[in-house]
C-alpha cells in the first residue's frame, strides 16, 4: 500500500458556500460529491480552487458497494472520469447499500450492511471490482446508522479490519459516525479505533448532528459538537491522519462560523505527535508498517473468494444478502412488514427519515413544485402522501416527475391555474404530453383496485 497523500485540513465543497470556501484562510483541500458535478462542465469556483493548487477529492454516494449486486460499470466509469477531471489522488465511497434489484427499490440514502460473513464476502468482491475499474486508489467510509441488523457475526472493528486485509482498500473514518453509532447502536468508538488498521487511513470526516428522542441524527446541518472533536482527538492520539475534512450539507452558517470550526479542527490535529499504547500501556512512537512505506500498489491478502471452487458459495452469499436487503428496504420504503429481529421502533424512525429526505431532495431539485402547490407545507403533505404508496425506483429526478404525474392523474392540485402550471412543468421536463383524461381515469381506477 503506497503512502497516503498528505491532504491537510479541508471542507466539503458545496455550491451554496462556494464563495465562502474560496475565502477560507489556510484551506488545504476540498471534497466534492461526485454525482453533483459533470467532468466537462466543472463549476468556475471549483476550477479556481484547482488553479491555485487546492486538491479536490470526489466523494461518491451512489455505488452501493455493500449491496448484493455487483457494481454498475457505468457508475464506476463516471466516478473514474471525475477523478481524472479533478486530478484527484483518490476517490471515496461508503460501506453501505442503497438499492435492491429484486424488487427494484432505491433508498435514496446510505443504509448499513449486516456485519456477517456473507455480507463481507460480497463487499470484498465488489470492492475488488471497483478497484480494478478505477484509475486511482479507493477509500471507503464507515457510515452512521439508526439501527442494527440481527444476527451479526463480526464487530465493526473486525469487519473493517478483514475488509482491508482482503482488499487493500483504504479507510475514510468519520468520527461523527462513530459517535452516531455509539448513541444509536451502543458501539464503543474507542474499541473501533483500537481494532482497525489505522495505517490504512486515507482521511477523516468531521460533522455535526443532533439528538432527538434518544436517537442521534447525523444531519451535517449543525455545528460540530465537542463530543465529536473529542473523538477526533482520540483518533489523533493513535495516528497522524493524512487529512481531516469538515462536512456541512445544509443550514449553512456564516463564513466566520465555518472558519471557526476549521480552526477548532486544526487545533485538535496539531495537538502533538501521534502516540499509541505499547505492551505495558506506556505511550510509544507510532510506526507505520512496512507495507505503507512501500511504493507498490495496494497489498492484498489471499481472499477466500479468489478460487474457482468457492464461486458457487459466493453467489449463494449474494442471494442470501439480496433477500435480506430486499426485505429490509421494502419495509423501509414500501410499507411491508418489518423483518424478524429488527427493532421495529428504529425501523419506523428510519422510514420517516427516508421519506422526509426524499421530500427535501425533490424540493431542492425541483424548487418550482412547492411554489406551484402553495408553499412548503402543502407540498410536503402531498409528497409524503404520494411517497407512502410509491417507492422510489429510479433516483430523485425521476421521482420529481413521477410525483407531478401522480398529482395530475388525480386532477390535482384543485386550483385550475396551479394544475396548468404543473402540467406545463411536467411536460417541459418529461418531453411528452401528459396522460389524457381517460388514461388518467383508468390509471386512477387501477390504483384504487390494487
Amino acid at each position: 500500500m503506497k503512502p497516503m497523500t498528505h491532504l491537510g485540513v479541508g471542507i466539503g465543497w458545496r455550491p451554496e458556500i462556494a464563495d465562502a470556501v474560496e475565502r477560507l484562510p489556510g484551506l488545504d483541500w476540498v471534497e466534492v460529491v461526485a454525482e453533483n458535478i459533470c467532468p466537462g462542465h466543472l463549476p468556475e469556483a471549483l476550477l479556481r480552487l484547482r488553479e491555485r493548487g487546492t486538491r479536490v477529492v470526489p466523494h461518491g454516494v451512489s455505488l452501493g458497494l455493500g449491496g448484493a449486486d455487483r457494481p454498475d460499470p457505468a457508475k464506476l466509469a463516471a466516478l473514474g472520469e471525475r477523478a481524472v477531471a479533478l486530478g484527484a489522488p483518490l476517490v471515496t465511497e461508503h460501506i453501505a447499500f442503497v438499492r435492491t434489484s429484486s424488487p427494484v427499490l432505491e433508498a435514496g440514502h446510505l443504509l448499513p450492511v449486516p456485519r456477517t460473513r456473507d455480507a463481507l464476502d460480497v463487499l470484498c468482491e465488489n470492492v475488488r471490482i471497483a478497484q480494478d475499474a478505477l484509475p486511482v486508489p479507493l477509500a471507503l467510509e464507515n457510515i452512521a446508522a439508526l439501527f442494527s441488523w440481527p444476527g451479526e457475526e463480526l464487530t465493526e472493528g473486525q469487519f473493517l479490519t478483514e475488509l482491508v486485509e482482503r482488499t487493500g482498500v483504504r479507510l475514510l473514518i468519520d468520527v461523527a459516525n462513530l459517535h452516531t453509532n455509539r448513541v444509536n447502536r451502543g458501539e464503543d468508538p474507542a474499541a473501533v479505533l483500537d481494532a482497525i488498521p489505522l495505517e490504512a487511513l486515507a482521511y477523516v470526516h468531521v460533522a455535526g448532528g443532533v439528538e432527538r428522542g434518544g436517537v442521534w441524527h447525523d444531519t451535517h446541518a449543525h455545528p460540530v459538537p465537542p463530543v465529536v472533536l473529542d473523538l477526533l482527538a482520540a483518533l489523533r492520539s493513535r495516528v497522524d491522519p493524512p487529512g481531516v475534512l469538515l462536512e456541512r450539507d445544509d443550514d449553512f452558517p456564516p463564513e466566520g462560523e465555518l472558519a471557526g470550526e476549521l480552526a477548532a479542527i486544526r487545533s485538535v490535529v496539531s495537538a502533538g505527535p501521534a502516540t499509541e499504547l505499547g505492551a505495558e500501556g506506556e505511550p510509544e512512537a507510532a510506526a507505520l508498517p512496512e507495507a505503507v512505506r512501500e511504493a507498490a500498489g495496494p497489498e492484498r491478502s489471499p481472499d477466500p473468494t479468489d478460487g474457482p471452487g468457492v464461486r458457487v458459495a459466493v453467489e449463494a452469499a449474494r442471494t442470501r444478502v439480496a433477500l435480506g436487503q430486499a426485505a429490509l428496504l421494502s419495509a423501509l420504503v414500501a410499507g411491508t412488514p418489518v423483518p424478524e429481529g429488527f427493532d421495529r421502533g428504529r425501523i419506523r424512525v428510519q422510514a420517516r427519515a427516508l421519506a422526509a429526505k426524499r421530500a427535501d431532495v425533490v424540493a431542492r431539485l425541483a424548487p418550482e413544485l412547492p411554489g406551484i402547490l402553495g408553499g412548503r407545507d402543502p407540498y410536503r403533505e402531498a409528497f409524503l402522501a404520494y411517497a407512502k404508496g410509491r417507492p422510489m425506483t429510479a433516483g430523485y429526478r425521476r421521482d420529481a416527475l413521477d410525483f407531478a404525474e401522480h398529482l395530475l392523474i388525480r386532477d390535482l392540485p384543485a386550483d385550475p391555474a396551479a394544475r396548468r402550471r404543473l402540467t406545463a412543468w411536467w411536460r417541459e421536463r418529461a418531453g411528452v404530453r401528459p396522460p389524457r383524461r381517460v388514461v388518467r381515469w383508468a390509471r386512477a381506477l387501477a390504483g384504487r383496485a390494487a
Side-chain angles (χ1 to χ4, degrees):
M1 187 178 287
K2 292 181 180 178
M4 182 57 216
T5 301
H6 179 77
L7 295 170
V9 175
I11 192 169
W13 186 91
R14 304 293 183 265
E16 297 89 341
I17 54 171
D19 291 342
V21 168
E22 285 192 74
R23 293 189 293 265
L24 287 171
L27 188 70
D28 299 311
W29 66 293
V30 299
E31 179 193 79
V32 61
V33 177
E35 290 81 356
N36 290 352
I37 61 168
C38 178
H41 303 280
L42 295 176
E44 289 294 329
L46 207 54
L47 289 173
R48 287 194 296 270
L49 286 174
R50 285 200 62 213
E51 287 167 2
R52 75 185 199 194
T54 304
R55 288 187 183 273
V56 183
V57 173
H59 185 53
V61 297
S62 66
L63 268 184
L65 291 174
D69 295 322
R70 288 177 175 80
D72 181 346
K75 290 183 182 296
L76 284 173
L79 186 56
E81 287 171 0
R82 283 150 178 78
V84 171
L86 295 169
L90 79 163
V91 296
T92 57
E93 249 287 353
H94 300 83
I95 302 170
F97 82 100
V98 297
R99 67 182 62 85
T100 59
S101 59
S102 182
V104 177
L105 296 172
E106 289 276 349
H109 189 70
L110 304 166
L111 295 175
V113 301
R115 288 175 297 208
T116 61
R117 289 289 169 190
D118 279 349
L120 183 60
D121 286 347
V122 170
L123 175 64
C124 286
E125 187 172 71
N126 288 349
V127 168
R128 286 170 175 249
I129 292 169
Q131 288 171 316
D132 290 342
L134 292 168
V136 294
L138 171 68
L140 295 181
E141 179 181 351
N142 60 306
I143 73 162
L146 285 172
F147 61 88
S148 298
W149 282 77
E152 293 192 315
E153 300 163 333
L154 302 165
T155 66
E156 178 81 344
Q158 291 168 334
F159 194 86
L160 295 178
T161 297
E162 195 161 333
L163 171 64
V164 171
E165 289 173 347
R166 287 170 58 174
T167 66
V169 76
R170 291 170 167 84
L171 295 176
L172 192 181
I173 295 300
D174 189 317
V175 291
N177 291 350
L178 292 179
H179 173 64
T180 301
N181 294 339
R182 169 168 53 191
V183 175
N184 295 347
R185 305 203 288 187
E187 297 173 357
D188 181 6
V192 176
L193 293 177
D194 286 340
I196 61 177
L198 289 174
E199 66 271 13
L201 184 65
Y203 60 89
V204 180
H205 272 174
V206 179
V210 64
E211 187 171 353
R212 299 190 191 98
V215 174
W216 186 270
H217 296 271
D218 180 46
T219 63
H220 294 190
H222 292 80
V224 177
V227 67
V228 171
L229 289 177
D230 289 344
L231 285 178
L232 176 61
L235 183 147
R236 177 64 181 88
S237 73
R238 292 163 169 82
V239 69
D240 187 2
V244 182
L245 183 118
L246 171 65
E247 286 189 294
R248 187 76 179 227
D249 294 328
D250 207 350
D251 289 342
F252 298 101
E255 185 176 329
E257 289 185 29
L258 288 176
E261 291 204 309
L262 285 172
I265 290 169
R266 234 178 247 111
S267 176
V268 173
V269 173
S270 61
T275 60
E276 60 186 10
L277 293 181
E280 303 300 322
E282 294 298 324
E284 60 183 24
L288 292 177
E290 185 65 27
V292 179
R293 296 195 295 270
E294 291 178 357
E299 212 173 70
R300 298 176 181 175
S301 299
D303 192 318
T305 65
D306 279 345
V310 298
R311 289 297 171 188
V312 173
V314 175
E315 288 307 309
R318 283 191 182 276
T319 299
R320 290 189 291 269
V321 170
L323 289 171
Q325 291 181 346
L328 173 62
L329 186 52
S330 184
L332 288 170
V333 303
T336 58
V338 177
E340 192 66 31
F342 284 95
D343 183 322
R344 284 171 166 74
R346 287 298 176 88
I347 296 301
R348 285 194 294 271
V349 172
Q350 182 71 81
R352 289 195 296 270
L354 290 179
K357 178 180 179 179
R358 191 175 159 192
D360 290 344
V361 174
V362 167
R364 284 202 298 272
L365 290 174
E368 303 88 353
L369 291 177
I372 292 171
L373 297 178
R376 179 184 182 277
D377 290 343
Y379 157 78
R380 197 174 183 83
E381 181 181 351
F383 188 91
L384 292 178
Y386 149 81
K388 194 175 294 183
R390 291 284 298 271
M392 184 165 57
T393 60
Y396 287 112
R397 294 186 188 280
R398 182 70 250 178
D399 206 22
L401 289 171
D402 289 347
F403 170 54
E405 182 179 351
H406 166 86
L407 294 178
L408 293 172
I409 287 171
R410 286 153 182 78
D411 284 329
L412 295 173
D415 176 52
R419 195 161 60 250
R420 285 193 297 272
R421 289 175 60 201
L422 183 61
T423 300
W425 182 91
W426 184 89
R427 182 184 299 166
E428 179 182 339
R429 286 154 183 81
V432 294
R433 286 189 171 275
R436 291 174 300 162
R437 182 177 297 275
V438 65
V439 176
R440 301 204 304 266
W441 175 77
R443 288 183 183 174
L445 280 182
R448 283 195 287 271

